[in-house]
Amino acid sequence: MSDVRKHYIQILVENRFGVLSRVAGLFSARGFNIDSLSVAPGIDPSVSQMTIETQGDDHVMEQIIKQLNKLIDVIKVVDLTEFSFLCRETILIRVNTTTRPGDREEAFRIVEIFRSKIVDSSPTTYTIEVTGDEDKIEAILNFLKPLGIKDVIRSGKVAIAREDQRASGKSSKPAVDGELSYPRS
Amino acid sequence: MKMNGAEMLLESLKREKVSHIFGYPGGVVLPIFDALYKDPSLQVILTRHEQGAVHAAEGYARSTNTVGVVLVTSGPGATNTLTGLADANMDSIPLVVITGQVPTKMIGNDAFQEADIIGMSRSCTKHNFLVRKIADLPKIIKEAFYIARTGRPGPVLIDFPKDVILEKAEFHYPETVSIRSYNPTIQGNRWQIRKAAQAILKARKPVLYAGGGIISSGAHKELLELVNLANIPTTLTLMGLGAIPGDSPRFLGMLGMHGTYAANMAIHHADVLIAVGVRFDDRVTGKIAEFSPHSKVIHIDIDPTSIRKNFHVEVPIVGDAKTILKDLIEELREISGSEDAFRHFDPWVEQTHEWEKEHPLVYSFDKEVIKPQYVIEKIYQYTQGDCIVSTDVGQHQMWTAQFFKFISPNTWLTSGGLGTMGYGFPAAIGAQKAFPNKRVIAITGEGSFLMNVQELATVVSLDLPVKIVILNNQYLGMVRQWQEFFYGSRYSSSFIGQSPDFVKLAEAFGAAGLRATRPEQVEDVILDGFSRRGPVLMEFQVDPEENVFPMVPAGGSNIEMIFESPGEKDDPKKRDSILTA
């Protein structure tokens, strides 16, 4: 058995009533994990883009990809982990700024260092918006922790393959060459 | 011309060449039933329960290899279809099930007879649709039939709100259908087929393991051609019975939990396993780690998710069984040069015959009490296999699978994947409707039969000549068998001896009822019952404690077959007079 690894799956679906619950229902019915999920319409409004963060060994991932492809409303499935790809998440953090003297300035400095933004402010808190990959998000959360984090809202991850690879536009290939004579889309 | 939703539905169904609808009326679908009243070209088969309607449509679909159609109302009408939908989904039976729904504006308001059938049926259908605008209806129907019958077939549900049923619009039925996100693979990959052919030629001990996919694809001729050309011993799954004739010399019988010794041994010792239209179900494989441990596996299936779902495969080929088998036969002919190339399988074929002789399917005949297997054998002898047989689920199902020889495909209707008690009798109704002049037999147990007994009213009112054979052993037999073997003979809730008087029951519904209580009456009852023209119920009071053998205990390896009950070894009476089937 191969190792359990994190995977990012990009799914193109028909932008239709009920499609999200088909995808989510598939994961729960077959015992697959969803670590994060984001979904929104694409450039073509008849299509929605989903990014699902999941984990599994090769066998589980093969089934996830195949089962997703089997859903009638799914147009295309790409396991981005097979490619070089970019992954980002946006989070909103509300942090205390008056626990200790100097905290307000400290929070401001951290925001500068991480090139993030203060999007709301009250006499006792800042609300900070950060976008970045997993490492960056973890790092800023660690820096802000001593100030006292009141709330964190995460968008879930979105991911995209790098341009040179996207150009080929291919779906995730079957685990053995030739299993499908005509890969979907 | 403008039509309302109900009229449009019927017109669309006719375009899909539908002639029979299995259904049950109710509040929100009244306009559709009203339209049906005015249009005699579509025949409604009124069952007495919505579950019966779905199973009947399954029987119709399986026996004709077309799409079965069901029409029911909202709420309870819709939820009563769920077991049938799950059954059809597991066994890949193409259905289009139309459910009424409360008016669009009331959806979500807990209206009278409202149920979220789209949500509930999502995981037990191949796909489902909610009709939101009347203009969408023709396209939805077209797509529903296309999805139901293509690829790996399955049930599709269309939820149809009352206000949309009454809405009017111009009717345009699409000529063609194309769904960008649904393109089943038909053609097998050439290179994979070549690899498969090479593996078969190089084999010493090949076995063909074929299933329901052969029936769905209509690939039985190709399968038989391959078996005969390449001289390969063949076993079939429960769903595949009839794919090659049951009396064919290369046929080893069914494999798996209640499969034959020869089939399970052949699979175990095979060096190349050619799996076609099968899904390596746990009732087939037993302990998966010990299933066919020495073989190189070629797996042909139209559903990519079936491949490597629970078993390793060396040569996967996705596509339609018929198309791929044709190509494979051609490839084998080309690279083998002559049919003599397969003569080196002769010793292996001989070995499988040895296994057949070593442990044939047997039961001990008894002069005092009717053995259920004896009844099945007598029915087979009487009909010579020229009939359609349905079963329910349990011991009688396994005995029928073992002792009845199915000669042609689409003549065997059984609930394989879901194991639905109550399936068999309504399924026989569907088949009889499709083939009014063919002999249709529902073989059942007293437990299963009572689960959809209300359909007796259907066969009587439609005067359908379905023959019902009840093997009454007073127990939920398969449950009792497991309790005997694995639960210290503690027969918890499996004794159902207080059954009704089945003869009187049949008569109360207006059908004929016959009963046999002793072995010498069996043939007479069969002769009498089968020669009558209307519906006949035949009850055979059989040995209450007869078991199904061979048996692989759940989770055990397929070569660890049990041939007798735990206590039976010491009973000399039972060891006598072994009769071979």
Side-chain angles (χ1 to χ4, degrees):
Chain A
M1 275 284 110
S2 56
D3 294 338
V4 173
R5 284 192 301 143
K6 187 175 280 258
H7 288 256
Y8 293 94
I9 304 172
Q10 199 176 58
I11 314 169
L12 248 61
V13 298
E14 295 288 348
N15 185 7
R16 241 179 234 160
F17 148 92
V19 178
L20 176 61
S21 57
R22 277 182 216 284
V23 172
L26 168 72
F27 274 76
S28 67
R30 298 207 176 254
F32 306 141
N33 270 317
I34 296 182
D35 291 337
S36 80
L37 178 153
S38 76
V39 50
I43 303 171
D44 173 356
S46 73
V47 171
S48 272
Q49 294 260 15
M50 288 188 187
T51 308
I52 291 185
E53 179 188 5
T54 183
Q55 46 187 308
D57 59 25
D58 289 351
H59 178 249
V60 167
M61 288 314 301
E62 181 182 335
Q63 272 298 311
I64 290 178
I65 306 276
K66 283 176 167 181
Q67 294 285 357
L68 282 168
N69 265 312
K70 193 171 161 180
L71 293 177
I72 307 287
D73 284 333
V74 169
I75 301 166
K76 185 171 163 180
V77 182
V78 180
D79 183 355
L80 288 169
T81 324
E82 290 174 10
F83 306 97
S84 170
F85 67 100
L86 299 165
C87 178
R88 292 291 180 270
E89 185 175 21
T90 295
I91 68 170
L92 298 172
I93 313 161
R94 182 158 297 149
V95 68
N96 285 322
T97 52
T98 51
T99 315
R100 300 166 307 188
D103 272 1
R104 218 162 161 87
E105 293 73 20
E106 173 66 2
F108 203 81
R109 271 195 297 277
I110 294 169
V111 168
E112 286 289 292
I113 291 166
F114 282 91
R115 273 179 259 152
S116 45
K117 272 194 286 195
I118 295 170
V119 288
D120 189 28
S121 126
S122 77
T124 56
T125 63
Y126 279 146
T127 302
I128 300 162
E129 177 195 320
V130 200
T131 297
D133 60 14
E134 211 166 6
D135 291 346
K136 179 174 171 180
I137 302 282
E138 283 313 303
I140 192 167
L141 284 171
N142 279 333
F143 271 84
L144 290 172
K145 213 174 270 169
L147 281 71
I149 293 173
K150 286 189 78 177
D151 214 349
V152 176
I153 304 293
R154 313 179 69 130
S155 68
K157 283 160 188 150
V158 290
I160 193 168
R162 287 185 187 276
E163 175 58 27
D164 51 332
Q165 314 214 11
R166 254 190 90 80
S168 68
K170 62 179 179 181
S171 293
S172 280
K173 60 175 192 293
V176 167
D177 285 338
E179 180 178 320
L180 290 166
S181 61
Y182 306 111
R184 304 251 316 248
S185 74
Chain B
M1 193 185 96
K2 279 203 168 184
M3 291 183 182
N4 72 19
E7 292 158 349
M8 244 186 223
L9 171 67
L10 303 196
E11 196 49 44
S12 305
L13 292 178
K14 282 190 257 177
R15 301 286 176 101
E16 293 299 324
K17 300 193 173 58
V18 173
S19 51
H20 296 82
I21 301 172
F22 298 86
Y24 206 101
V28 298
V29 288
L30 280 172
I32 302 175
F33 277 84
D34 192 50
L36 281 164
Y37 188 83
K38 295 174 198 153
D39 185 347
S41 63
L42 284 163
Q43 205 183 338
V44 181
I45 295 98
L46 171 68
T47 56
R48 296 302 187 269
H49 190 292
E50 288 89 352
Q51 188 189 349
V54 184
H55 293 325
E58 285 185 89
Y60 184 93
R62 193 58 161 177
S63 60
T64 58
N65 243 2
T66 58
V67 181
V69 179
V70 177
L71 171 63
V72 297
T73 193
S74 63
T79 56
N80 276 344
T81 66
L82 284 171
T83 302
L85 287 169
D87 190 272
N89 201 39
M90 287 280 253
D91 286 346
S92 312
I93 307 294
L95 296 182
V96 169
V97 175
I98 299 142
T99 55
Q101 183 54 279
V102 300
T104 317
K105 277 194 190 125
M106 292 170 83
I107 292 178
N109 282 1
D110 299 328
F112 176 66
Q113 291 198 328
E114 179 186 354
D116 172 22
I117 198 65
I118 289 287
M120 290 184 211
S121 66
R122 199 167 278 137
S123 59
C124 61
T125 52
K126 185 171 173 186
H127 196 57
N128 59 22
F129 295 93
L130 172 65
V131 188
R132 315 180 90 188
K133 294 199 304 278
I134 189 59
D136 296 343
L137 182 70
K139 185 165 174 274
I140 286 176
I141 307 265
K142 184 88 189 170
E143 290 188 355
F145 276 84
Y146 174 65
I147 291 169
R149 69 168 180 263
T150 55
R152 177 173 172 182
V156 177
L157 182 138
I158 301 172
D159 202 23
F160 201 1
K162 172 135 190 207
D163 54 326
V164 189
I165 295 175
L166 293 172
E167 216 176 304
K168 282 189 173 174
E170 286 292 331
F171 178 73
H172 300 289
Y173 202 67
E175 293 292 315
T176 56
V177 54
S178 147
I179 306 172
R180 64 174 162 182
S181 55
Y182 175 72
N183 298 294
T185 307
I186 303 298
Q187 207 76 35
N189 181 286
R190 271 265 153 219
W191 295 107
Q192 293 293 97
I193 291 171
R194 176 155 296 173
K195 264 205 259 175
Q198 285 162 348
I200 293 169
L201 265 180
K202 263 192 244 148
R204 289 271 163 262
K205 298 185 278 182
V207 174
L208 254 161
Y209 149 43
I214 299 288
I215 317 278
S216 313
S217 154
H220 47 282
K221 285 205 186 90
E222 288 73 14
L223 181 68
L224 190 62
E225 194 183 340
L226 176 63
V227 171
N228 290 337
L229 165 76
N231 192 26
I232 304 174
T234 302
T235 176
L236 296 171
T237 67
L238 182 70
M239 295 309 296
L241 294 177
I244 66 166
D247 53 6
S248 155
R250 293 286 165 275
F251 182 48
L252 302 171
M254 183 172 76
L255 79 163
M257 182 174 271
H258 294 295
T260 62
Y261 178 74
N264 284 340
M265 290 298 277
I267 289 272
H268 188 82
H269 289 93
D271 62 354
V272 169
L273 185 64
I274 309 136
V276 194
V278 295
R279 58 188 178 89
F280 293 84
D281 171 72
D282 57 275
R283 286 301 192 260
V284 160
T285 63
K287 190 175 183 180
I288 194 91
E290 285 165 36
F291 182 73
S292 200
H294 316 294
S295 66
K296 180 170 190 168
V297 181
I298 300 162
H299 190 181
I300 299 168
D301 204 280
I302 197 150
D303 178 3
T305 66
S306 287
I307 289 174
R308 273 194 300 264
K309 184 171 62 186
N310 41 23
F311 200 63
H312 71 89
V313 174
E314 278 79 18
V315 188
I317 312 175
V318 172
D320 169 54
K322 190 182 173 102
T323 314
I324 292 171
L325 286 182
K326 257 188 204 157
D327 290 348
L328 181 61
I329 290 164
E330 197 181 298
E331 189 72 36
L332 277 170
R333 284 228 163 86
E334 197 175 301
I335 63 174
S336 66
S338 80
E339 298 196 3
D340 290 343
F342 303 101
R343 287 279 79 83
H344 68 281
F345 298 157
D346 283 347
W348 167 240
V349 172
E350 201 39 51
Q351 170 68 67
T352 63
H353 289 324
E354 290 301 317
W355 284 323
E356 279 173 340
K357 279 179 221 149
E358 207 175 314
H359 280 291
L361 288 170
V362 293
Y363 65 92
S364 38
F365 181 75
D366 196 303
K367 282 197 197 118
E368 297 301 315
V369 28
I370 303 174
K371 291 290 180 177
Q373 302 95 324
Y374 176 69
V375 179
I376 310 278
E377 274 190 332
K378 288 292 157 197
I379 294 172
Y380 175 69
Q381 282 168 15
Y382 180 81
T383 60
Q384 288 300 306
D386 181 21
C387 55
I388 295 172
V389 176
S390 74
T391 69
D392 273 298
V393 171
Q395 287 185 317
H396 72 271
Q397 178 189 32
M398 291 300 116
W399 284 319
T400 311
Q402 290 177 334
F403 289 89
F404 201 95
K405 293 181 183 64
F406 293 93
I407 306 300
S408 47
N410 306 102
T411 60
W412 164 238
L413 318 171
T414 199
S415 169
L418 196 66
T420 311
M421 289 172 72
Y423 165 89
F425 178 38
I429 294 174
Q432 188 77 78
K433 206 60 221 180
F435 297 97
N437 299 318
K438 208 159 174 151
R439 182 176 280 129
V440 178
I441 309 167
I443 299 177
T444 177
E446 79 284 7
S448 287
F449 183 64
L450 285 178
M451 285 213 182
N452 270 320
V453 65
Q454 76 284 345
E455 301 308 333
L456 271 171
T458 309
V459 287
V460 170
S461 64
L462 298 174
D463 196 25
L464 293 174
V466 173
K467 302 294 181 275
I468 304 153
V469 171
I470 300 181
L471 301 177
N472 183 356
N473 60 1
Q474 303 178 55
Y475 281 100
L476 300 173
M478 193 58 93
V479 173
R480 192 208 56 77
Q481 178 170 342
W482 283 51
Q483 288 170 334
E484 179 187 341
F485 290 8
F486 313 118
Y487 294 88
S489 295
R490 293 181 297 278
Y491 297 152
S492 178
S493 294
S494 56
F495 181 71
I496 50 166
Q498 280 75 40
S499 284
D501 179 329
F502 284 106
V503 172
K504 280 190 188 158
L505 183 72
E507 286 166 359
F509 275 96
L514 300 168
R515 178 181 293 126
T517 55
R518 293 186 53 81
E520 63 271 18
Q521 299 167 338
V522 169
E523 283 189 82
D524 291 344
V525 166
I526 289 172
L527 213 63
D528 183 5
F530 281 69
S531 55
R532 297 189 190 208
R533 53 159 298 283
V536 182
L537 183 155
M538 288 159 265
E539 180 198 4
F540 296 88
Q541 295 186 349
V542 299
D543 188 346
E545 301 204 0
E546 185 67 18
N547 290 317
V548 181
F549 295 115
M551 179 182 186
V552 179
S557 161
N558 270 359
I559 52 164
E560 292 157 10
M561 283 164 271
I562 306 175
F563 296 95
E564 56 192 6
S565 309
E568 208 168 12
K569 283 193 198 98
D570 319 317
D571 186 349
K573 243 180 32 203
K574 284 201 174 171
R575 304 281 302 152
D576 288 347
S577 63
I578 295 278
L579 205 100
T580 54

